[in-house]
Amino acid sequence: MDVFDIVELKPEHCKEVAEIEKTIFSLPWSLQSFRECVEGEDKHYFCAIENGEVIGYCGYWGVLDEAEICNVAVRADARKRGVGKALLNRLIEYGKSDKRTKFLLDVRVGNEAAISLYKKLGFKEDGIRPNFYDEPKEDALLMSLTI
Ligand SMILES: CC(C)(COP(=O)(O)OP(=O)(O)OC[C@H]1O[C@@H](n2cnc3c(N)ncnc32)[C@H](O)[C@@H]1OP(=O)(O)O)[C@@H](O)C(=O)NCCC(=O)NCCS
């Protein structure tokens, strides 16, 4: 069985993360953005490592008692093996220890895989933000988890 570890994102992981990001998103975050996330005081990022390679990542930006989840992604060839769930469980556990009581995120309304994952973790639907995303234009579903 393949095994992966969830670890804090470090500067040396950022290049791989930015490469994965480019393969998944139409408007990818840059390498520089991820580097700034690693260095940011209230930004906490994690990645999944398997056989020495990054296979997924996620992170939040903390503001007061809230954690805004900004990135969640798993490399296409590593999906549906519990990596996304393990990453978010780690993020939530860390967030609790960091005194965050509300986790917030937005997701494209058509992103069934991600919405299903978030619901499985207890996130509730808060509402729709019309035309929030570009390339392609799409509504955002706002979701949150209160501890
Ligand atoms: C969404 C994403 C992170 C899920 O990662 P993953 O490692 O494949 O997810 P997991 O294996 O941990 O799955 C956990 C749950 O998510 C849901 N899920 C995952 N993939 C799914 C799919 N293709 N269709 C429907 N539900 C899915 C299921 O409820 C699953 O639970 P189950 O295994 O009991 O069925 C991954 O598909 C991805 O990187 N997508 C592209 C980037 C993206 O959309 N990010 C979110 C932006 S808001």
Side-chain angles (χ1 to χ4, degrees):
M1 203 180 91
D2 291 321
V3 284
F4 57 86
D5 292 319
I6 308 292
V7 301
E8 272 181 51
L9 190 70
K10 301 264 186 251
E12 61 265 30
H13 300 129
C14 287
K15 210 169 163 201
E16 273 178 279
V17 165
E19 287 303 314
I20 296 171
E21 176 88 0
K22 274 195 271 180
T23 67
I24 298 178
F25 297 104
S26 58
L27 297 168
W29 285 34
S30 66
L31 174 57
Q32 185 57 25
S33 305
F34 284 109
R35 285 192 173 136
E36 285 167 10
C37 288
V38 170
E39 287 157 11
E41 207 174 291
D42 283 320
K43 298 173 180 155
H44 299 285
Y45 276 68
F46 304 90
C47 64
I49 305 279
E50 186 171 61
N51 300 324
E53 291 181 11
V54 175
I55 56 168
Y57 52 93
C58 67
Y60 73 79
W61 292 26
V63 180
L64 302 174
D65 60 339
E66 294 185 346
E68 177 90 28
I69 298 174
C70 298
N71 307 81
V72 178
V74 173
R75 214 171 68 184
D77 62 353
R79 289 182 192 162
K80 300 200 87 171
R81 289 173 35 213
V83 177
K85 199 170 171 183
L87 277 164
L88 282 171
N89 274 329
R90 175 67 177 272
L91 180 154
I92 292 163
E93 280 312 307
Y94 185 91
K96 282 188 205 169
S97 72
D98 190 31
K99 306 229 174 351
R100 312 297 172 182
T101 57
K102 191 164 189 185
F103 296 83
L104 301 153
L105 59 83
D106 53 77
V107 55
R108 286 179 181 268
V109 291
N111 191 343
E112 287 175 22
I115 292 170
S116 169
L117 166 62
Y118 301 144
K119 283 188 175 167
K120 219 154 238 185
L121 292 167
F123 282 78
K124 305 284 181 231
E125 298 186 9
D126 292 331
I128 297 287
R129 188 165 286 162
N131 291 320
F132 181 66
Y133 297 107
D134 291 312
E135 294 190 28
K137 267 274 174 230
E138 192 171 347
D139 294 350
L141 172 63
L142 307 182
M143 302 184 82
S144 64
L145 170 71
T146 302
I147 303 297

